[in-house]
């Protein structure tokens, strides 16, 4: 790898790798087939500090850099993409939102136990008619005395059936566009809160996905996250971390698919020799390996830019776009190398292929990433012309 890691980053990667290979790999296929939430593994991840990596030590976290987080995410995803996506939402978006916008009281009550893995949090932005366009959301929050009353439905919520805390975006001013959106900390016990049925998904089946339904849900006013009207800002502030996280997840899954393809090609014999000796297949593997490495470097580049305190929206979107598309290409090629066996659940590449498909959709579709990248590039050109 052409990116020099510090000694500490290498140690974190090694720790995450050893844990994931020992704890997650043996259970991944069974959890996928049974749609079984990885509760015990997440508890152990909390004990190792993997669920509060980006949170300062003063709030119970590990105070790690983004590069370390990306490395740990890739190792987790190599073993189980379902567990990795839960980690991504909890670590980067939920912990990050509380860290940036929470009051001291909110941080002590929620962020500290979150960072220590005592419970998992989820992020609720998407709606039945508002996915890539958050400004189109219809969930409302009306203040009544010392509470806000929430009404509406959130869709595609990772951890909807299992998480204990939700960062929920709702419209407090219907006439103010994206400036009329506010963020709330909602717990499962709040009156008027309910979850919908579990989605029967193509992949990442060990992470539950449900609707959240708010029917005159009473949320205490002190559970407003940030100020009224800052919800869109809350949502956007976590995007770079979230996209780097999903990009790193994609790299881990792509590497797992590549390794599985290489191992099978060396063992499988046709016409009296291993299929790895066939030039056509060797070129496939060369392309796959190059694809994975290019994605890895884009991810580390974005993470390093974030750690330097630089604006990295373009780099994060480039990493997310390329890595998520890469994971789909490489997983597809791994299935192809396995031939008919790759189409069965006997080999893990079938799961990798299903798990990869959603990577180009959640945390901003590939098309949304291209809009972000183009806006950044064209904006830079305009600035240069003005000079």
């Amino acid at each position: 790898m052409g990116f020099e890691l510090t000694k500490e980053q290498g140690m974190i990667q090694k720790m995450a790798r050893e844990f994931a290979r020992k704890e997650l790999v043996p259970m991944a296929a069974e959890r996928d087939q049974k749609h079984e939430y990885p509760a015990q593994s997440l508890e152990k991840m909390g004990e190792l500090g993997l669920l509060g990596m980006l949170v300062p030590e003063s709030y119970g976290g590990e105070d790690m850099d983004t590069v370390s987080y990306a490395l740990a995410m890739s190792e987790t995803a190599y073993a189980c993409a379902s567990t990795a996506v839960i980690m991504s939402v909890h670590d980067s978006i939920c912990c990050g939102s509380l860290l940036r916008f929470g009051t001291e009281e909110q941080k002590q009550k929620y962020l500290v136990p979150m960072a220590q893995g005592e419970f998992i949090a989820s992020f609720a932005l998407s709606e039945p008619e508002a996915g890539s366009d958050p400004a189109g959301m219809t969930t409302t929050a009306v203040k009544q005395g010392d509470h806000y009353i929430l009404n509406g439905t959130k869709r595609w919520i990772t951890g909807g059936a299992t998480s204990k805390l939700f960062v929920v975006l709702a419209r407090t001013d219907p006439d103010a566009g994206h400036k009329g959106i506010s963020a709330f900390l909602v717990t499962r016990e709040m009156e008027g809160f309910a979850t919908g049925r579990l989605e029967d998904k193509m992949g990442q089946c060990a992470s539950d996905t449900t609707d959240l339904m708010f029917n005159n849900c009473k949320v205490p006013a002190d559970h407003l996250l940030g100020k009224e009207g800052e919800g869109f800002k809350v949502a956007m502030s976590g995007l770079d971390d979230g996209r780097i996280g999903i990009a790193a997840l994609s790299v881990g899954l792509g590497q797992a698919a590549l390794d599985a393809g290489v191992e099978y090609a060396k063992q499988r014999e046709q016409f009296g020799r291993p299929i790895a000796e066939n030039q056509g297949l060797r070129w496939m593997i060369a392309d796959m390996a190059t694809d994975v490495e290019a994605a890895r470097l884009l991810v580390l580049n974005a993470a390093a830019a974030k750690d330097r305190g630089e604006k990295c929206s373009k780099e994060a979107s480039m990493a997310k776009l390329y890595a998520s598309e890469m994971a789909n290409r490489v997983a597809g090629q791994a299935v192809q190398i396995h031939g008919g066996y790759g189409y069965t659940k006997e080999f893990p590449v079938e799961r990798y292929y299903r798990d990869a498909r959603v990577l180009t959709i959640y945390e901003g579709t590939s098309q949304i990433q291209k809009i972000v990248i183009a806006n950044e590039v064209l904006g830079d050109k305009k600035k240069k012309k003005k000079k």
Side-chain angles (χ1 to χ4, degrees):
M1 182 171 65
F3 188 99
E4 189 173 349
L5 303 178
T6 66
K7 185 177 180 181
E8 185 178 35
Q9 288 166 346
M11 289 172 62
I12 292 165
Q13 183 183 39
K14 184 173 183 288
M15 177 272 289
R17 177 176 296 171
E18 289 176 352
F19 168 79
R21 305 289 170 95
K22 181 181 177 182
E23 170 72 27
L24 300 179
V25 168
M27 300 291 293
E30 183 179 350
R31 283 173 171 166
D32 170 71
Q33 291 175 21
K34 293 182 177 180
H35 294 216
E36 180 185 315
Y37 185 75
Q40 291 180 329
S41 295
L42 288 166
E43 188 176 322
K44 293 177 183 177
M45 289 169 69
E47 293 169 1
L48 288 172
L50 292 171
L51 298 180
M53 293 190 72
L54 302 174
V55 178
E57 291 179 7
S58 56
Y59 292 112
E62 299 299 315
D63 203 16
M64 295 294 179
D65 57 12
T66 315
V67 169
S68 297
Y69 169 65
L71 294 169
M73 177 61 64
S74 290
E75 294 299 338
T76 304
Y78 184 100
C80 178
S82 294
T83 305
V85 72
I86 297 166
M87 174 182 168
S88 178
V89 173
H90 176 87
D91 263 273
S92 60
I93 304 179
C94 295
C95 286
S97 295
L98 263 160
L99 183 62
R100 285 183 288 269
F101 294 93
T103 63
E104 187 61 28
E105 184 181 357
Q106 289 170 343
K107 289 175 183 176
Q108 292 298 333
K109 185 175 182 179
Y110 294 119
L111 181 58
V112 171
M114 283 166 60
Q116 295 172 343
E118 291 181 22
F119 64 83
I120 301 295
S122 291
F123 191 73
L125 173 64
S126 296
E127 296 186 358
E129 301 301 326
S132 297
D133 177 23
M137 73 173 59
T138 59
T139 298
T140 58
V142 178
K143 192 169 187 183
Q144 291 184 5
D146 59 356
H147 282 77
Y148 283 88
I149 306 300
L150 270 62
N151 281 286
T153 300
K154 294 294 180 181
R155 181 145 292 171
W156 318 124
I157 308 306
T158 299
T162 51
S163 293
K164 292 188 178 181
L165 179 73
F166 300 89
V167 178
V168 179
L169 282 294
R171 189 171 292 286
T172 44
D173 185 345
D175 301 317
H178 68 271
K179 293 183 179 179
I181 297 170
S182 302
F184 299 88
L185 298 173
V186 180
T187 60
R188 196 171 288 282
E189 306 80 41
M190 290 180 181
E191 181 184 336
F193 175 89
T195 57
R197 65 176 176 82
L198 283 170
E199 296 291 346
D200 191 6
K201 301 178 298 182
M202 176 191 293
Q204 300 191 14
C205 296
S207 69
D208 56 290
T209 302
T210 73
D211 284 359
L212 304 182
M213 294 168 288
F214 305 95
N215 184 15
N216 292 325
C217 179
K218 292 181 68 176
V219 180
D222 64 3
H223 278 56
L224 177 70
L225 182 62
K227 298 174 183 176
E228 246 193 48
E230 281 192 335
F232 192 77
K233 186 178 175 183
V234 172
M236 295 301 107
S237 73
L239 282 182
D240 289 345
D241 283 342
R243 287 169 178 169
I244 291 170
I246 297 303
L249 188 163
S250 302
V251 169
L253 195 153
Q255 184 69 59
L258 170 62
D259 288 354
V262 169
E263 182 181 359
Y264 184 82
K266 288 179 176 179
Q267 294 176 354
R268 172 69 167 169
E269 290 194 1
Q270 291 285 276
F271 307 106
R273 62 179 186 174
I275 60 173
E277 294 183 14
N278 296 322
Q279 186 184 61
L281 192 139
R282 296 172 76 87
W283 285 9
M284 283 171 63
I285 288 174
D287 286 341
M288 292 161 70
T290 304
D291 226 359
V292 171
E293 194 65 12
R296 190 192 324 277
L297 292 173
L298 278 170
V299 171
L300 292 173
N301 177 62
K306 183 87 169 48
D307 288 335
R308 292 193 297 268
E310 299 171 6
K311 186 177 186 297
C312 62
S313 296
K314 179 183 71 174
E315 289 78 8
S317 283
M318 283 179 168
K320 200 276 181 181
L321 169 66
Y322 190 87
S324 62
E325 296 284 351
M326 172 281 295
N328 278 272
R329 288 192 296 269
V330 172
Q333 292 289 59
V335 170
Q336 191 71 18
I337 289 170
H338 282 68
Y341 288 109
Y343 201 64
T344 72
K345 295 186 188 296
E346 183 179 347
F347 289 85
V349 290
E350 181 270 345
R351 171 166 50 87
Y352 300 155
Y353 190 63
R354 288 185 291 105
D355 284 350
R357 191 60 195 89
V358 75
L359 298 175
T360 63
I361 298 172
Y362 61 28
E363 204 68 59
T365 64
S366 290
Q367 290 69 33
I368 290 293
Q369 306 307 327
K370 289 181 180 181
I371 290 172
V372 172
I373 295 164
N375 287 346
E376 291 284 334
V377 172
L378 291 169
D380 288 344
K381 288 181 179 178
K382 287 175 185 176
K383 288 174 188 173
K384 289 175 182 175
K385 286 179 182 179
K386 288 179 182 178
K387 291 180 181 177

